[in-house]
Amino acid sequence: MACNSGNCQSNCHQNEQVAENDSIPTPTTGSNDGGHQQQQGVCLKCKVSPPISSGSGGGGTGDEARFCADCFRANLFGKFRLAVTSHAMITPSDNVLVAFSGGVASRVALQFVHEMQQRAQKNYEASKDRSLPVFGVGVAFVDESSVCSISKDGVEEAIQEMKSTVSKLAPPVKQFHVVSSASLYSSGSSDEKDRLKKLIGAVDDVTGKDDLLMHLRMWALQKVASENGYTKLVLGLCTSRIACHVIAATVKGQGYSLSADIQYVDARWEVPVVLPLRDCTTQELSILCRIDGFVIRPFPFSSHLPCQPMGKKDKRETLSHLKEENPSRESTIVRTAGKLTPFHFNRVPEINDSNVPLATIRRQKRYNLKPQESISSESFCPICNSPVIDSNSPSWGSPKTCQFTEFASSCCSSCQFQILPQDQLSMKEFCSLLPERLVARSKPKYNGNLDMLREQIQDCLLSDSDGET
Amino acid sequence: MEEGNTIAKRAGSRLCCLCNERKPALKRPKTLEQICRDCFYNVFEEEIHQVIVGNHLFKAGERVAIGASGGKDSTVLAYVMSELNRRHNYGLDLFLLSVDEGITGYRDDSLETVKRNEVQYGLPLKIVSYKDLYGWTMDEIVKVIGLKNNCTFCGVFRRQALDRGAAYLKVDKLVTGHNADDIAETVLLNILRGDVARLSRCTSITTGEDGPIPRCKPFKYTYEKEIVMYAYFKKLDYFSTECIYSPNAYRGFAREFIKDLERMR
């Protein structure tokens, strides 16, 4: 695992960056007081090439003033590779889908996954027995233009650019999927986009709208991954985004499910989700995109929504303000939240495939969580898939009061408060607007049996609400 | 809520949500209910009584010191504790315990308020000072270490000063006026600073049970705004200026963040 200690004497890459952060005496913006350790005009690591910032008129700060482009790149790729190998995120038998938004983090994730695949391909071609297959890679983009006010041409252009980016990352060739959140609806007709728009419009709370879109985005990715035979889903979630999520979840009171969202591996989904860039900050990823000349065009989700999700923007601004004061704040936040006990699904499912090399299986067993170190959870919210405390069991009340009430009670308290409408009538309409596959997730398995049981004891029941609490 | 006020103005007959008898005088920050003054006093005091009883904070016959700074939280705490002690027969012996950090222009003024509280509520007062205990005032400390991290020094010294004062008074328990806003800020603060040890302790209603003097926070679920409202309507005597060193405190950042979030909703 990456070492966070400033006293570590090993030559791991983390050590130098952390040591540099610790050696800066006062946390003032822009000053590089740790420079007494840096030789004038050469990279700290290789001591040969000039640092990244030296070419751009000098005055660079942080990593750009300390490392040359190659060492910086190697450092970042090292973090990515360590995350992948120590958590067995990608095995030779996997078919990996990379979620691509056109933004900085997902572009770097795509690039690094491609480079890893390329190396595996070279090794495969060089080996005599060809025993280790090369994992497959696909790319998926979620098109949310139906709920954003962007011109169709703008969307088309962005998609073409992404297609071109993906096609350049070959060999090996990667399939590019464009999926819309609206495709979650079963019917293939054109009204699915209207339904999606109405659904988002039915949520009053601004943060709720944003969150619902995010959840639907994940469901869409899961849909395209499972329909096309992918076995892992790679997201470009980085330290900075996770830090925002930690603060957001804290202020929303989502403490119980927070630890599930921030681990390297999240296997509660049908296609397990892995975060290989979890240890990299947005700043580092931006620098890499700049030095490698990647074209970045993030799909403008939030800026074009009818209502600006103030909550998210405010948290990002808060954290960037904090960063000025202390550059390692995001890592501190993620490290603190990392102390929460993870769930039993926060590890890659055990591999039982005989085709997978023994070394991979052994490595997975070494790093996987022992059962007593995790929380087990059986119930999940049908909207956001957060683990819910099992006391939210389906109500055993009269079947006349509502599958809609049952749906609402099976959701987590955050979704109940932010996303679901408060009154019965609106609730019925809201349920009719949700994609069927989401509503189906909440149906209690006992429904048929329950009716039958009720019939048998009907003559002894005194009122509609029974005593079960 | 604006719509509600307009309707009230039009109808002119909207009544308090709780008693349905009197005209509403305020909108309750916690629940946004429109209630009259008397109902507000009742729900405010009743909720605190439920917190005390539900969490078994006190036993009959205990000697309890109230951490009194002269600010709104401790003044309201002293008032409500003596009121509930009398009304519900907690059987507690209550004292006021105040700490003098030696901050000119702030603490010297607020101590006058506490001395008035001693007379108004009839509770014996003990003042402990940093100068007597440690030989340093906060002003002197700030001169040496500057304006960053001085709150940390003050906090550590204050906790020990309270322990010493409590031992002098021979009390069994200490109550402080920390409210829901304070605890929310502390949670955020500890996450931002990576203080995992404090994070796991900071939301307990009673702390230090294994230490010299257990401390509890009866206002744990009470909103700061409601405390201010209570003090305002009851015309309680308190000192309303903040510590002169607080603008530099890191806690201010967490406070601003929470205020911004509340404003958005």
Side-chain angles (χ1 to χ4, degrees), chain A residues 205 207 247 250-251 310 314-315 318 321-322 325 329 332-333 336 339 417-418, chain B residues 148 187-188 190-196 199 250 253 257-258 260-261 264-265:
Chain A
D205 186 78
T207 312
I247 301 290
T250 303
V251 299
M310 284 296 293
D314 206 48
K315 275 151 218 133
T318 301
H321 179 77
L322 277 173
E325 192 194 306
R329 184 70 65 190
T332 303
I333 295 170
T336 308
K339 301 285 185 194
F417 179 68
Q418 282 193 133
Chain B
K148 270 206 152 57
V187 169
L188 261 178
N190 287 330
I191 290 178
L192 292 172
R193 294 167 78 181
D195 196 335
V196 178
L199 190 60
Y250 193 61
F253 189 89
F257 182 55
I258 291 180
D260 287 341
L261 287 172
M264 278 195 289
R265 289 191 165 268

Side-chain angles (χ1 to χ4, degrees), chain A residues 236-402:
Chain A
L237 270 182
C238 59
T239 305
S240 315
R241 288 269 304 278
I242 293 176
C244 278
H245 179 66
V246 169
I247 301 290
T250 303
V251 299
K252 285 186 213 169
Q254 288 170 327
Y256 182 71
S257 58
L258 174 59
S259 67
D261 302 330
I262 60 169
Q263 307 300 328
Y264 287 94
V265 176
D266 184 356
R268 69 190 124 145
W269 303 94
E270 193 188 328
V271 178
V273 174
V274 296
L275 312 181
L277 292 181
R278 188 183 179 272
D279 297 321
C280 309
T281 61
T282 303
Q283 192 181 32
E284 290 174 327
L285 300 171
S286 305
I287 294 172
L288 183 68
C289 288
R290 196 163 36 91
I291 59 181
D292 278 3
F294 294 153
V295 171
I296 300 299
R297 191 209 280 233
F299 196 79
F301 296 124
S302 35
S303 58
H304 284 75
L305 270 177
C307 315
Q308 177 79 296
M310 284 296 293
K312 207 176 211 166
K313 182 170 157 244
D314 206 48
K315 275 151 218 133
R316 276 201 290 263
E317 280 176 1
T318 301
L319 282 173
S320 64
H321 179 77
L322 277 173
K323 247 174 45 184
E324 285 166 15
E325 192 194 306
N326 185 341
S328 57
R329 184 70 65 190
E330 292 162 335
S331 313
T332 303
I333 295 170
V334 174
R335 195 171 59 237
T336 308
K339 301 285 185 194
L340 290 166
T341 312
F343 285 82
H344 65 98
F345 48 73
N346 285 120
R347 51 181 151 160
V348 172
E350 297 270 331
I351 310 169
N352 289 317
D353 191 350
S354 53
N355 291 332
V356 176
L358 211 51
T360 309
I361 297 178
R362 269 196 238 115
R363 186 186 290 123
Q364 189 203 30
K365 280 198 191 313
R366 201 185 336 142
Y367 285 102
N368 250 340
L369 296 167
K370 299 183 192 49
Q372 58 265 32
E373 288 173 6
S374 57
I375 312 174
S376 63
S377 171
E378 296 301 326
S379 318
F380 297 90
C381 171
I383 296 180
C384 63
N385 210 23
S386 293
V388 291
I389 299 174
D390 284 333
S391 55
N392 288 348
S393 48
S395 85
W396 293 79
S398 158
K400 295 192 187 77
T401 53
C402 244

Side-chain angles (χ1 to χ4, degrees), chain B residues 69 72-74 77 159 176-190 202-203 217-225 227 242 251-252 254-255 258-259 262:
Chain B
S69 63
K72 56 170 171 29
D73 295 327
S74 53
L77 181 65
R159 281 172 185 87
T176 51
H178 291 98
N179 56 49
D181 295 54
D182 292 328
I183 295 184
E185 287 161 20
T186 306
V187 169
L188 261 178
L189 203 59
N190 287 330
C202 65
T203 55
K217 307 176 175 83
F219 282 177
K220 182 184 170 192
Y221 300 102
T222 317
Y223 286 26
E224 188 176 15
K225 213 162 193 177
I227 293 175
E242 281 203 338
R251 178 177 285 266
R255 184 172 297 151
I258 291 180
K259 292 277 173 274
E262 279 184 324

Side-chain angles (χ1 to χ4, degrees), chain B residues 169-181:
Chain B
L169 287 170
K170 294 188 181 41
V171 293
D172 305 302
K173 217 158 254 179
L174 192 58
V175 293
T176 51
H178 291 98
N179 56 49
D181 295 54

Side-chain angles (χ1 to χ4, degrees), chain B residues 56-76:
Chain B
H56 310 291
L57 294 186
F58 308 117
K59 291 200 232 348
E62 273 182 337
R63 292 165 66 92
V64 174
I66 300 172
S69 63
K72 56 170 171 29
D73 295 327
S74 53
T75 303
V76 172

Side-chain angles (χ1 to χ4, degrees), chain B residues 41-49 84 87 230 234:
Chain B
Y41 298 152
N42 286 338
V43 291
F44 184 85
E45 290 158 5
E46 187 56 30
E47 275 178 15
I48 292 166
H49 169 64
L84 292 179
R87 190 187 297 168
Y230 189 88
K234 285 263 181 180

